[in-house]
Amino acid sequence: MNVLLVYAHPEPTSLNGALKDFSVNRLQRAGHTVRVSDLYAMKWKATLDAFDDTDHVPGTAFHPSLGSKHAFENGTQSEDIAAEQEKLKWADAVILQFPLWWFSMPAILKGWVERIYAYGFAYGVGEHSDQRWGDRYGEGSLAGKRAMLVVTTGGWEPHYGERGINGPIDDILFPINHGVLFYPGFDVLPPFVVYRTSKMDEARFAQTSEALGRRLDELWSTRPIPYRRQNGGDYSIPECTLRDDILPEQTGLSVHVAK
Ligand code: FAD
């Protein structure tokens, strides 16, 4: 299988760097082909702007969505964007690995998503009408592929528990798991989270990497998070609201997971 590991940490000797090296080794030893997009090492340009469409005429207005659509349709995207899209098409599974920074991914990784998730590639796919609201949330260009987050946090596990002050980790990662990964079609696996990183030592690193190794060994057999598919009958279209008869008393992010 082909695995793309997208990695966002500025320091190779960091905990994240060690976990990334461990993952690459483990996957290769299991016979997989691994490619790494090491965003800091690549000096990835994080800002989406007019330079992303080589066809853009300086001095004319730049529209982020329509510029992206034009460039994707006409093959005028900047080379770095097209190269990352090719890696996504090549991959059977994609791992996004990053330290949690201000309750989300580091800006460089957000910029990777913003720039390579072009209009026509990751969004704006399929028929949009009163009967159908596009191929998304379970369908789309990346359907059939698996994705998983590997995340490290300074906060303790209970800080991210159901009643923890930071909010439940599944809620914090929902915009990435559901919004960034499930939206264009990935089957999203439960995240691998390493909490309280300041308390890492050699013994804990050995346990942590072994646990990560098991998750990598089970990349193809782990049951994805059962997010509801937009076009699977659970939502009213075109409102895209959960049907009134499903969990009628409940609201919030968890209603989009079929328990
Ligand atoms: P490192 O700092 O490199 O290492 C952590 C520990 O692991 C160190 O003690 C190191 O000695 C040890 N270690 C490293 N490699 C090994 C190895 N191979 N074997 C054994 N031990 C090793 N945290 C939150 O919970 N929520 C937030 O919103 C949040 N926001 C942040 C925002 C910013 C801008 C920053 C800088 C940090 C934030 N943090 C937050 C904390 C952040 O998530 C952690 O600092 C990060 O996850 C630690 O990962 P690292 O790879 O940088 O670890």
Side-chain angles (χ1 to χ4, degrees), residues 40-60:
Y40 281 94
M42 291 158 68
K43 300 200 184 309
W44 178 259
K45 169 181 170 280
T47 48
L48 182 161
D49 59 25
F51 295 102
D52 292 348
D53 179 6
T54 58
D55 216 16
H56 179 73
V57 179
T60 62

Side-chain angles (χ1 to χ4, degrees), residues 228 235 242 246-247 250-259:
R228 297 177 193 277
Y235 294 92
L242 195 59
I246 299 176
L247 304 176
Q250 293 183 40
T251 58
L253 304 180
S254 64
V255 300
H256 302 294
V257 181
K259 289 282 181 329

Side-chain angles (χ1 to χ4, degrees), residues 4-212:
L4 173 64
L5 201 165
V6 184
Y7 163 74
H9 196 291
E11 175 50 53
T13 63
S14 63
L15 174 61
N16 268 274
L19 292 173
K20 183 260 293 172
D21 292 344
F22 171 86
S23 294
V24 171
N25 268 324
R26 183 80 166 219
L27 289 163
Q28 286 177 337
R29 279 197 352 242
H32 304 301
T33 307
V34 185
R35 292 167 85 178
V36 178
S37 287
D38 181 344
L39 300 183
Y40 281 94
M42 291 158 68
K43 300 200 184 309
W44 178 259
K45 169 181 170 280
T47 48
L48 182 161
D49 59 25
F51 295 102
D52 292 348
D53 179 6
T54 58
D55 216 16
H56 179 73
V57 179
T60 62
F62 169 65
H63 188 289
S65 289
L66 297 180
S68 167
K69 183 171 193 264
H70 173 88
F72 182 71
E73 281 177 357
N74 293 287
T76 59
Q77 299 179 116
S78 66
E79 269 178 35
D80 58 346
I81 293 177
E84 293 303 298
Q85 288 169 348
E86 280 311 312
K87 290 183 197 171
L88 277 182
K89 286 189 210 158
W90 165 88
D92 301 302
V94 176
I95 295 169
L96 303 185
Q97 191 200 322
F98 57 91
L100 195 70
W101 281 1
W102 288 112
F103 299 91
S104 189
M105 54 177 108
I108 199 167
L109 179 55
K110 180 70 168 10
W112 179 86
V113 174
E114 289 176 12
R115 294 184 63 230
I116 68 166
Y117 268 35
Y119 188 146
F121 179 66
Y123 68 104
V125 176
E127 174 192 333
H128 285 74
S129 67
D130 279 356
Q131 284 75 47
R132 195 173 169 85
W133 202 252
D135 298 346
R136 59 173 199 168
Y137 291 119
E139 294 171 278
S141 308
L142 301 172
K145 301 175 188 290
R146 301 191 140 214
M148 180 173 98
L149 303 183
V150 174
V151 184
T152 63
T153 77
W156 300 18
E157 186 163 5
H159 302 177
Y160 290 99
E162 283 305 313
R163 288 164 63 81
I165 191 159
N166 288 348
I169 195 72
D170 287 343
D171 288 4
I172 287 166
L173 298 179
F174 186 90
I176 305 174
N177 274 334
H178 187 262
V180 171
L181 296 175
F182 189 57
Y183 187 107
F186 281 111
D187 288 328
V188 185
L189 306 186
F192 182 82
V193 184
V194 182
Y195 297 98
R196 205 181 177 185
T197 47
S198 64
K199 288 291 172 200
M200 188 61 66
D201 57 21
E202 280 184 25
R204 191 175 164 219
F205 183 80
Q207 288 169 357
T208 303
S209 48
E210 202 37 52
L212 174 58

